[in-house]
Amino acid sequence: MIMNILKKVPAGMMIVPMFLSSIINTFFPEILQIGSFTTAVFTSAGSAAILGAQLVCMGAQLQVKELLSVVRRGGVLLISKFAIGAVIGIAIGKIFGMEGFLGLTTLAVISAITNSNGSMYLALMSTYGDEVDQTAMSLLAINDGPFLTLIALGASGLANIPIISLIAVIVPILFGMLIGNIDKKMSEFLKPGVSLLLPFVGITLGAGIDITGIVQGGSSGILLGLMTVLISGPFVVLCDRVFNKRPGYAGWAVSSTAGNAIAVPAAVATIDAAWAPYVSVATTQVAASTVFTAICIPLITSWWAKKYGSPQTPLYQGQFDKNINLQID
């Protein structure tokens, strides 16, 4: 019964647990903070460990010969998502100043659109994509936080951003690749872990979301979510289709606002104090966009994958044959 319900929801194996977890976090935030295994599994405290284990399982499915494809696919998604967010945000800043327009601050626009929800992307790629799509998350981790937002704003302290944080994301994948390429049986053993851990990724991710953020962000926050989906989405999908020769399902999957982006305005203000007056309103607007896109993107990605095909839902036999370069219909 439960499994049938989850299968009917796009990326339901992650989205449903995430939604239920966010409800608990919003209205009963202390109920699971009793420590030990309960807190580790059912709150955001365990997100890094659970996602790290999933990355190891995912890396074990990637063959060395597929590395170039990972860099290409992930790079296109990363650069296009950043570019559209930076262009829109900088244009608003140049024309309307820091205050932005229609109640949307420039800081909120850049923070929300240049960032993407890596966990959601991975869940959607586990449902619709292939191993290369999934492993591309290692590159997309770059835009899950303040790094690219600071670049877009032209902050002078970017050289002090620790590269070690990026390396820390890649190590579990490389470890998985190592044991998966050395021993095919290990690759097969770890393969179920990619999907098995999805509900737990959803639980820990949802435990960091306060759904009242969409209310606090108001109409401006919803507008920001719409911009993230309807402006950045089509652009990233176009780049995915043109440069990666893919149908575009991955382009939609990356067109969200990261949960970590909620903390980006405050991080920016610590480096450039001129943005400090806008941190509070920008934070609520980004939170609203995070919740809004978490609802919309799985639905859009599911519809697109079924309409144009994906490795898990091909339109016809051989659509995603690795010997075929052009995979757009």
Side-chain angles (χ1 to χ4, degrees):
M1 177 181 175
I2 295 176
M3 182 63 73
N4 291 334
I5 294 175
L6 294 177
K7 287 182 177 180
K8 292 179 181 179
V9 179
M13 199 61 70
M14 189 199 81
I15 296 302
V16 173
M18 183 183 73
F19 178 70
L20 294 175
S21 180
S22 66
I23 292 177
I24 294 175
N25 181 65
T26 300
F27 300 105
F28 312 101
E30 301 300 324
I31 195 171
L32 297 174
Q33 298 291 343
I34 60 176
S36 192
F37 303 121
T38 298
T39 299
V41 174
F42 294 105
T43 72
S44 57
S47 59
I50 292 175
L51 185 55
Q54 188 182 42
L55 290 177
V56 172
C57 297
M58 181 183 67
Q61 311 312 309
L62 184 68
Q63 299 300 304
V64 173
K65 60 184 179 182
E66 295 177 332
L67 274 179
L68 184 59
S69 296
V70 170
V71 173
R72 177 179 176 179
R73 287 194 210 175
V76 168
L77 296 175
L78 173 69
I79 294 172
S80 58
K81 185 70 158 68
F82 166 68
I84 190 64
V87 168
I88 294 174
I90 292 173
I92 291 174
K94 292 292 185 181
I95 298 172
F96 301 101
M98 290 183 172
E99 294 84 0
F101 81 120
L102 298 178
L104 272 180
T105 66
T106 300
L107 180 57
V109 172
I110 297 179
S111 297
I113 301 181
T114 59
N115 282 267
S116 61
N117 191 325
S119 297
M120 181 184 296
Y121 169 85
L122 181 55
L124 289 169
M125 291 305 97
S126 297
T127 304
Y128 303 109
D130 57 23
E131 290 85 355
V132 175
D133 290 320
Q134 295 166 19
T135 313
M137 181 193 168
S138 59
L139 281 177
L140 295 173
I142 297 174
N143 73 355
D144 194 352
F147 185 73
L148 293 185
T149 300
L150 289 170
I151 291 179
L153 291 169
S156 60
L158 288 177
N160 296 321
I161 300 296
I163 298 299
I164 194 67
S165 60
L166 175 58
I167 296 175
V169 174
I170 299 175
V171 166
I173 295 176
L174 294 179
F175 175 72
M177 278 186 61
L178 178 63
I179 59 178
N181 279 269
I182 291 176
D183 188 344
K184 184 65 176 178
K185 290 184 178 180
M186 283 300 299
S187 175
E188 295 172 355
F189 172 74
L190 292 170
K191 187 174 183 178
V194 178
S195 56
L196 180 64
L197 290 169
L198 279 177
F200 300 99
V201 172
I203 289 171
T204 56
L205 179 63
I209 296 177
D210 186 337
I211 58 177
T212 60
I214 197 168
V215 178
Q216 295 173 353
S219 58
S220 59
I222 295 175
L223 175 61
L224 181 58
L226 285 169
M227 289 175 61
T228 303
V229 174
L230 300 180
I231 297 180
S232 75
F235 178 77
V236 179
V237 169
L238 176 64
C239 292
D240 192 23
R241 291 173 69 89
V242 172
F243 297 107
N244 283 337
K245 306 299 183 184
R246 305 292 288 180
Y249 59 89
W252 279 117
V254 80
S255 300
S256 60
T257 297
N260 288 346
I262 297 173
V264 169
V268 171
T270 61
I271 295 178
D272 187 350
W275 292 100
Y278 306 96
V279 170
S280 179
V281 64
T283 298
T284 57
Q285 290 171 349
V286 172
S289 181
T290 298
V291 177
F292 183 86
T293 57
I295 296 171
C296 294
I297 290 301
L299 296 174
I300 296 174
T301 303
S302 174
W303 173 78
W304 193 273
K306 292 174 182 177
K307 183 176 177 62
Y308 295 100
S310 76
Q312 302 300 324
T313 57
L315 297 181
Y316 52 85
Q317 186 175 5
Q319 182 186 10
F320 291 90
D321 191 314
K322 294 184 179 181
N323 294 322
I324 300 176
N325 293 321
L326 185 62
Q327 299 173 338
I328 300 175
D329 296 285

